[in-house]
Amino acid sequence: MERKVYFDNAATTPMRKEVIDSMHKVLLETFGNPSSTHSFGRSAKTQIETARKSISKHFNSDPQEIIFTSGGTESDNMLLRCAVQDLGVQTVITSKIEHHAILHAVDFLAENKLANVLYVKTDSEGLIDFGDLEHLLKVDRTKKLVSLMHINNEIGTILDLDRVSKLCQDNDALFHTDAVQGVGHYAIDLNQLKIDFLSAAAHKFHGPKGVGFSFVRKNSGLNPFILGGSQERGLRAGTESVHNIVGMAKALEIAYSRIDEEQKYLKDLKTYAIEQFTKSFPEIHFNGCCSDLDRSSCTLVNVSLPVPEDKANLLNFHLDLKGIACSKGSACQSGSTKGSHVIEEVVPLSHKNNPAIRFSFSIFNTKMEIDYLIQTLESFVKE
Ligand SMILES: Cc1ncc(COP(=O)(O)O)c(C=O)c1O
């Protein structure tokens, strides 16, 4: 039988069985429209509000501050566009290594002269230059929004949310974080951190696709991004996807109840992967700071592999043939001939010709799968 190994968990994760069961139950039993006032509707509404309460508890936030959306892209677009339209933000500060959901949204704002966009400097590890951020925050007196991702989806660099949020607060700027890769994997206390807006997507933490949430700090003054009915307290119109919302709450409940043991498992797995890569390919380059477990996510490694040029283009194809799923950059770019904008920013010139590959892990991966990956890579390079 063909062997299948899934190392593309930063693109999406498999759902946990308990999550599927919870959704199955809703699909079978709770089909009412949550806006209907009869018992079918009320029961769907109850499921949504129970999910909202449960989700908000993990972040030490208020249930009212959780707005359900279709996922990370919608949350990012909504929060950036509404902050500019509704809160008088004139300058958005972001970085060049954000996800396209942010980069294309700020391009739209700049092209339509809705906001001025400034990019904070980042270094070869994917860390932001705090001196530059402070400088940009003080550059003029316009109202500012800082949008920086919690965990980089390609290289795994972790942002110091506390330090950025304090800097924003000291300079009277709003702070949005795209936490799509962090939520469910790392604890985020929104009562402690001075974050105004946050984006999350369920499919990155073993929940369903097509659902996520925006955290919108109470009394922020945002108006709806999608117009229509009065769902989500008027902030996001459209009949709620009840089964998806319940599945997301279940996925998050499990993720946070097991966070210590699962982080430990993933750190151990990642350490093993780094050791094996280094042993077999001493010339390997770990992109960003992904070989440092304190400063990068335990869920991924991104490596530039020392592969002869004639073979480099065939590498992904070969891994796929051997049943190994991984990613060249972020999944949204696969099929595109353009290289990754993040890799372009962080990889040193000496490794620019080597193929960069992201292997992203979940608790369903094992060390045996890593052994299989290394053997497959070794035989491909030597062949
Ligand atoms: C950091 C980051 N932001 C946003 C998104 C988009 O999320 P979604 O696929 O839920 O629209 C992704 C998905 O890859 C991501 O990794």
Side-chain angles (χ1 to χ4, degrees):
M1 203 176 68
E2 193 202 349
R3 191 157 181 188
K4 286 275 189 193
V5 175
Y6 186 74
F7 281 147
D8 203 14
N9 290 279
T12 197
T13 52
M15 282 202 277
R16 300 193 202 245
K17 183 176 177 309
E18 300 94 315
V19 172
I20 298 172
D21 290 346
S22 72
M23 293 172 68
H24 190 219
K25 191 164 170 359
V26 174
L27 286 166
L28 280 174
E29 297 171 7
T30 320
F31 66 88
N33 185 322
S35 297
S36 302
T37 51
H38 47 62
S39 64
F40 294 83
R42 288 199 308 275
S43 131
K45 180 87 180 156
T46 304
Q47 298 261 7
I48 291 179
E49 293 318 316
T50 307
R52 197 187 311 279
K53 252 192 218 155
S54 159
I55 291 173
S56 69
K57 260 204 239 147
H58 304 302
F59 303 98
N60 214 354
S61 68
D62 194 295
Q64 279 180 37
E65 296 173 316
I66 304 296
I67 309 297
F68 296 127
T69 66
S70 65
T73 302
E74 183 189 327
S75 289
D76 284 344
N77 274 265
M78 160 190 169
L79 294 167
L80 292 187
R81 303 259 294 261
C82 292
V84 168
Q85 273 167 26
D86 307 329
L87 308 180
V89 167
Q90 294 155 288
T91 305
V92 178
I93 302 173
T94 187
S95 82
K96 294 231 163 110
I97 59 171
E98 301 296 306
H99 190 272
H100 279 143
I102 294 292
L103 292 178
H104 291 170
V106 296
D107 282 350
F108 173 88
L109 294 173
E111 279 158 20
N112 289 281
K113 305 208 176 341
L114 297 167
N116 186 24
V117 179
L118 304 174
Y119 297 91
V120 65
K121 285 182 197 151
T122 51
D123 65 14
S124 60
E125 297 193 314
L127 294 162
I128 65 152
D129 178 334
F130 278 91
D132 190 46
L133 179 58
E134 191 161 6
H135 163 73
L136 295 179
L137 282 164
K138 293 185 194 302
V139 86
D140 58 29
R141 295 173 67 85
T142 57
K143 174 108 182 144
K144 299 189 179 65
L145 168 78
V146 172
S147 179
L148 292 171
M149 70 207 307
H150 177 208
I151 290 177
N152 188 283
N153 54 306
E154 293 195 40
I155 51 174
T157 306
I158 302 175
L159 179 74
D160 185 342
L161 289 175
D162 189 36
R163 195 165 164 198
V164 177
S165 67
K166 283 186 179 138
L167 206 49
C168 289
Q169 197 185 27
D170 291 348
N171 288 280
D172 215 12
L174 294 162
F175 178 31
H176 164 250
T177 187
D178 173 341
V180 165
Q181 296 287 342
V183 164
H185 303 288
Y186 287 87
I188 300 174
D189 186 335
L190 291 168
N191 193 33
Q192 291 292 319
L193 294 163
K194 302 292 170 214
I195 292 172
D196 297 282
F197 310 114
L198 172 147
S199 310
H203 71 111
K204 307 291 184 177
F205 50 85
H206 305 291
K209 291 169 186 57
V211 68
F213 66 88
S214 296
F215 163 80
V216 177
R217 179 124 358 236
K218 225 186 295 179
N219 304 324
S220 68
L222 286 197
N223 290 322
F225 178 55
I226 293 179
L227 302 168
S230 58
Q231 291 92 349
E232 298 298 295
R233 293 188 347 280
L235 259 185
R236 201 275 189 179
T239 302
E240 301 90 335
S241 182
V242 187
H243 61 295
N244 273 335
I245 290 171
V246 168
M248 172 163 66
K250 188 72 187 172
L252 216 47
E253 178 197 316
I254 299 172
Y256 280 120
S257 68
R258 300 181 191 163
I259 191 153
D260 290 341
E261 71 191 86
E262 294 196 343
Q263 257 186 24
K264 188 171 174 304
Y265 183 85
L266 285 169
K267 280 185 179 168
D268 189 42
L269 196 70
K270 176 167 164 171
T271 304
Y272 184 73
I274 291 170
E275 280 166 9
Q276 299 310 307
F277 270 122
T278 312
K279 215 193 280 172
S280 298
F281 303 97
E283 314 270 271
I284 199 168
H285 180 73
F286 291 96
N287 294 319
C289 54
C290 77
S291 58
D292 178 342
L293 269 86
D294 293 326
R295 295 186 300 152
S296 75
S297 174
C298 54
T299 53
L300 70 91
V301 289
N302 189 315
V303 294
S304 285
L305 272 177
V307 174
E309 228 172 293
D310 57 324
K311 287 192 167 178
N313 287 337
L314 296 173
L315 182 56
N316 268 55
F317 178 64
H318 180 79
L319 289 174
D320 192 24
L321 267 184
K322 295 288 176 189
I324 299 172
C326 57
S327 185
K328 268 204 268 187
S330 63
C332 324
Q333 293 166 293
S334 50
S336 149
T337 47
K338 264 177 83 181
S340 147
H341 62 287
V342 178
I343 294 304
E344 197 55 39
E345 289 288 324
V346 301
V347 174
L349 217 52
S350 51
H351 290 276
K352 279 254 154 77
N353 289 333
N354 293 336
I357 312 187
R358 177 186 72 183
F359 298 99
S360 47
F361 312 123
S362 85
I363 38 106
F364 299 116
N365 291 124
T366 63
K367 288 184 183 171
M368 269 166 64
E369 291 179 328
I370 289 177
D371 291 339
Y372 174 61
L373 166 68
I374 300 287
Q375 281 157 22
T376 308
L377 287 170
E378 274 181 341
S379 53
F380 174 73
V381 172
K382 282 177 197 148
E383 236 166 46

